[in-house]
Structure formats: structure tokens, C-alpha cells
Amino acid sequence: MEAAAGTGLRCSLNPVPNPRKISARVRFTTKRQPCAATCRPLLLRPSASAYTAAIDSGAGGYSGANKRLAVFVSGGGSNFRSIHEAALGGKVNGDVAVLVTDKPGCGGADYARCNGIPVVVFPKSKSAPEGVSTDELLNVLRDLKVDFVLLAGYLKLIPGELVQAFPRSMLNIHPSLLPAFGGKGYYGSKVHKAVIASGARYSGPTVHFVDEQFDTGRTLAQRVVPVLANDTPEQLAARVLHEEHQVYVEAVAALCEDRIVWREDGVPLITSQANPNEYM
Ligand code: GAR
């Protein structure tokens, strides 16, 4: 479904790849969404048929050398949206091939459906019986030829098999300056409350590679924001989130352009686009 011409709103129902060609038991979500309620104008959007063609033909994607991205989301999906828009606008040499979520009704999943991005529910749970197992998800990611996995507010621990399947190829964003205020239980507003209560004067997002624990993988990029004397957790969260949208896009752009080098001691660094001998 395309929205009426002249509204400036571009919105499509989720294109449903042939599940038999993707993986025997996995089903992409097919529920029709009232997209107009959640879609905002987009300048560019790949057509649904382009996605279906890329998936059905097993081709590497509709835009040649672009990397194929899987984004994992549990909530509103503003980081997912900023990455998707950067990809559509050419700032990131990547295509979002699939959205993975443990919360099929979340804002991020709605945004994916509205933009023709297949949605896979993971893991299976009481509230999400349509979810897939780790093996099934791995098959889907392989069938979709996913190069990189990006966690963007996905709150479940990633199983070891999945981490191992994407060595140096899985990123997460966390809303504090890791290693401070990270680990199990530190997510969303809990992080910002703890930062304010600690008296820290600075906070900011961290983009890091994912290992088998919460928030302990190697740091790739950070941004710093001030913590103001009268900040509420909501005010601090908004200041940090603004930086998240910039730093995650920059890190993903570097990943897709092969601009990450690993120092001898295992620290990943981003090289500048203009000069490969300079680091960002
Ligand atoms: C972001 O602030 C992200 O850093 C955080 O969840 C939010 C998701 O927002 N992630 C964590 O706390 C992970 N430990 P979004 O859905 O609007 O992108």
C-alpha cells in the first residue's frame, strides 16, 4: 500500500518474502498495520519489490556493494530510524535487511513495517509465541546475507551462538560512558537516574562491539554531554539520545566502509574518511 500521492507520506505494508525460501519454519510478520498513524515523511525509500527481489533471488542486495544490516530493537526505535534514514540518504553504505525484535508491537517494529522492512520476532516467549529460536534466527540472517548486526535498544542478552556467528561484526549502543553505569539492569532511564544520583558531571553514549555479556565488549566510539545541576532523568536522556543518533550513524558508516582498525591490544579505532592515518 502506498499512501495517497501528494500527502508527502510514503508508507508500505511489510513485503512478505517467501518464507519457504528463507527458512523452513520461520515466518515474517504479516499483520497489516495502520501505517499512517506511525509513518512520517521519508524522502527516499527502496520499493517493496526491490527487497522481495533481492531476497528471492538470493542476490547480495539491491544496491551493489552496500552492506546488509540487521537491526535489533525492543522499544521506540529512534536509533534504528536514524540509521535507516542515513542508509537511505547515502550516509551509510548499507541496507537494513531485517528488523529483529522481542516486542512485535513496539514502535521500532511499526516503523519497519511502514518502511517495507521484514520483521522477525526473537526470541519466542509467552507474549510472543510467533518468535523464532536462535538457530532459526541464524538461518534467517544467513539467508538474508546479513553482514552486520546492530543492537539499537534491544534489551535481551544475545546468545553466545549469535555473538560467535558475527565476530567483530555486532555493535550495541548504550546510553552511558562505559564502563560506568553498564551491565545487567542498566538500561533506559535507570541509567540516567543512576548517573544523576552519582553526581557525575558528564555522561554520553558508547558504541561498542558485542560480546557474551551485557555492555562489556570493546568500546568503538563515545560522545560526552554535560550533566546539569537540575537535570531530570528525562532531560539527560534527551541530551544523550541526540548524541546517540549522531555517533551510532558515524560508527555504522565506518563499519560499512571498512574503516575500523584493531590496535595490537585489541582496541578498535575508526579511521577518518579523508586520511586513513588519522583516527576519529
Ligand atoms: C537508547 O537510549 C539506547 O542507548 C538504550 O535504549 C534506548 C533505545 O532508544 N539502550 C540501552 O539502554 C541498552 N542497555 P530508541 O529505541 O529510541 O533507539
Side-chain angles (χ1 to χ4, degrees):
M1 179 195 79
E2 289 285 350
T7 59
L9 186 73
R10 285 172 174 253
C11 178
S12 78
L13 293 174
N14 188 24
V16 186
N18 182 343
R20 273 170 301 177
K21 289 194 177 169
I22 295 296
S23 185
R25 289 183 47 228
V26 174
R27 293 285 180 276
F28 290 95
T29 51
T30 57
K31 214 165 110 188
R32 290 187 152 242
Q33 290 294 315
C35 290
T38 49
C39 285
R40 287 189 232 153
L42 280 176
L43 294 175
L44 290 163
R45 184 180 66 79
S47 70
S49 58
Y51 272 101
T52 310
I55 291 164
D56 282 348
S57 69
Y62 60 85
S63 55
N66 274 9
K67 301 294 184 186
R68 295 180 60 77
L69 311 172
V71 186
F72 285 43
V73 165
S74 298
S78 69
N79 278 289
F80 164 40
R81 183 188 165 102
S82 68
I83 290 166
H84 181 241
E85 288 181 349
L88 294 178
K91 267 170 97 177
V92 162
N93 291 342
D95 301 317
V96 180
V98 63
L99 185 281
V100 177
T101 185
D102 59 321
K103 301 259 186 289
C106 73
D110 282 347
Y111 175 82
R113 292 186 193 101
C114 285
N115 284 278
I117 297 167
V119 175
V120 172
V121 179
F122 174 78
K124 196 192 205 61
S125 67
K126 261 191 193 163
S127 60
E130 71 272 48
V132 299
S133 68
T134 304
D135 281 349
E136 288 171 326
L137 179 62
L138 274 168
N139 283 335
V140 170
L141 299 179
R142 280 189 202 113
D143 289 349
L144 290 173
K145 302 188 184 311
V146 165
D147 296 295
F148 299 123
V149 170
L150 310 173
L151 311 185
Y154 184 75
L155 300 180
K156 298 268 183 203
L157 189 63
I158 301 296
E161 303 99 282
L162 201 50
V163 175
Q164 286 151 25
F166 288 90
R168 294 184 170 183
S169 302
M170 188 182 292
L171 292 177
N172 179 43
I173 187 149
H174 182 78
S176 76
L177 294 170
L178 292 173
F181 307 106
K184 195 169 166 34
Y186 278 111
Y187 59 87
S189 69
K190 289 178 198 278
V191 175
H192 306 296
K193 277 184 193 152
V195 169
I196 291 169
S198 76
R201 301 302 202 266
Y202 294 97
S203 188
T206 300
V207 177
H208 64 93
F209 283 91
V210 174
D211 64 13
E212 294 181 26
Q213 294 163 58
F214 281 113
D215 305 327
T216 54
R218 291 290 190 168
T219 291
L220 177 64
Q222 292 183 314
R223 290 289 181 277
V224 176
V225 303
V227 182
L228 304 181
N230 297 314
D231 263 348
T232 63
E234 292 72 26
Q235 287 167 331
L236 179 57
R239 198 174 304 121
V240 172
L241 192 64
H242 178 77
E243 293 303 314
E244 290 187 35
H245 296 160
Q246 325 297 318
V247 73
Y248 210 3
V249 164
E250 285 173 25
V252 174
L255 191 65
C256 291
E257 288 169 27
D258 208 14
R259 282 192 290 111
I260 295 173
V261 295
W262 291 78
R263 214 167 62 185
E264 267 178 22
D265 60 359
V267 171
L269 303 166
I270 295 177
T271 60
S272 114
Q273 234 168 358
N275 181 353
N277 297 318
E278 278 176 12
Y279 301 100
M280 293 170 63

